[in-house]
Amino acid sequence: AGDNMPSLRVYAGSREPGWWVLGSLAATYGASSIRANLMPEDEDLSARARKAGVLMHAHAFEGTVKLLDVAEMVRRTLPLWTERIGAAAVQALHIRADRDGFSFLLNGEEVLLEGPAATLAFFGLEPGQEDEAVASPPGIAPLPLFWYGYNYV
């Protein structure tokens, strides 16, 4: 980020070591603050931080996201959708997908999402834009993103 602030990035695994290393980082670097990036769904570390009076700020993903093959993304995420909303609910969506977009039924009407709209259906909006309408199958978005620098295709 261009500054000398130490940082901790926690993506998966046990949260306990992440919590306890913060003090060591501050001491090692003589820092009065530490940048710790957490996934939005990380309630364990977030709750501990709030309880300890840590200031927290949501920020947008700093990279670029584009789905190169929407049908493949749908295929690979169907097990997660089934886990989140159940097999019957997934079947009731009547999902159809091709390389550029996908469609599903929502309240009896077909919703077609292509290009950037398909990407938003999977990954959601940036913090601060939550009031904007985004069509997404219920219970699906947002999928977590890796931090910029950990990107892959």
Side-chain angles (χ1 to χ4, degrees):
D3 56 27
N4 292 324
M5 183 184 303
S7 65
L8 172 70
R9 293 181 176 195
V10 179
Y11 183 77
S14 173
R15 300 312 194 240
E16 198 71 21
W19 177 252
W20 294 113
V21 78
L22 291 174
S24 296
L25 273 174
T28 299
Y29 291 96
S32 60
S33 61
I34 296 171
R35 178 178 294 113
N37 293 44
L38 310 175
M39 297 305 293
E41 299 81 17
D42 191 340
E43 281 302 313
D44 182 38
L45 274 179
S46 296
R48 284 182 179 211
R50 282 190 300 275
K51 186 175 181 179
V54 174
L55 297 176
M56 299 178 64
H57 306 282
H59 61 89
F61 175 72
E62 297 171 353
T64 301
V65 179
K66 178 180 180 171
L67 295 179
L68 301 176
D69 187 338
V70 177
E72 184 66 10
M73 182 69 167
V74 168
R75 186 184 74 74
R76 289 181 180 250
T77 56
L78 277 177
L80 176 64
W81 295 19
T82 301
E83 181 181 315
R84 287 186 176 180
I85 66 173
V90 170
Q91 278 192 306
L93 291 171
H94 295 283
I95 301 165
R96 291 182 303 157
D98 62 25
R99 186 172 185 81
D100 299 317
F102 73 108
S103 67
F104 60 94
L105 291 180
L106 184 62
N107 300 324
E109 293 189 30
E110 184 178 39
V111 177
L112 173 63
L113 301 171
E114 295 178 308
T119 301
L120 288 174
F122 282 96
F123 299 107
L125 295 165
E126 295 178 5
Q129 295 180 325
E130 290 86 357
D131 292 340
E132 296 181 26
V134 175
S136 180
I140 304 309
L143 296 178
L145 289 166
F146 291 102
W147 291 283
Y148 191 71
Y150 296 155
N151 292 353
Y152 58 92
V153 176

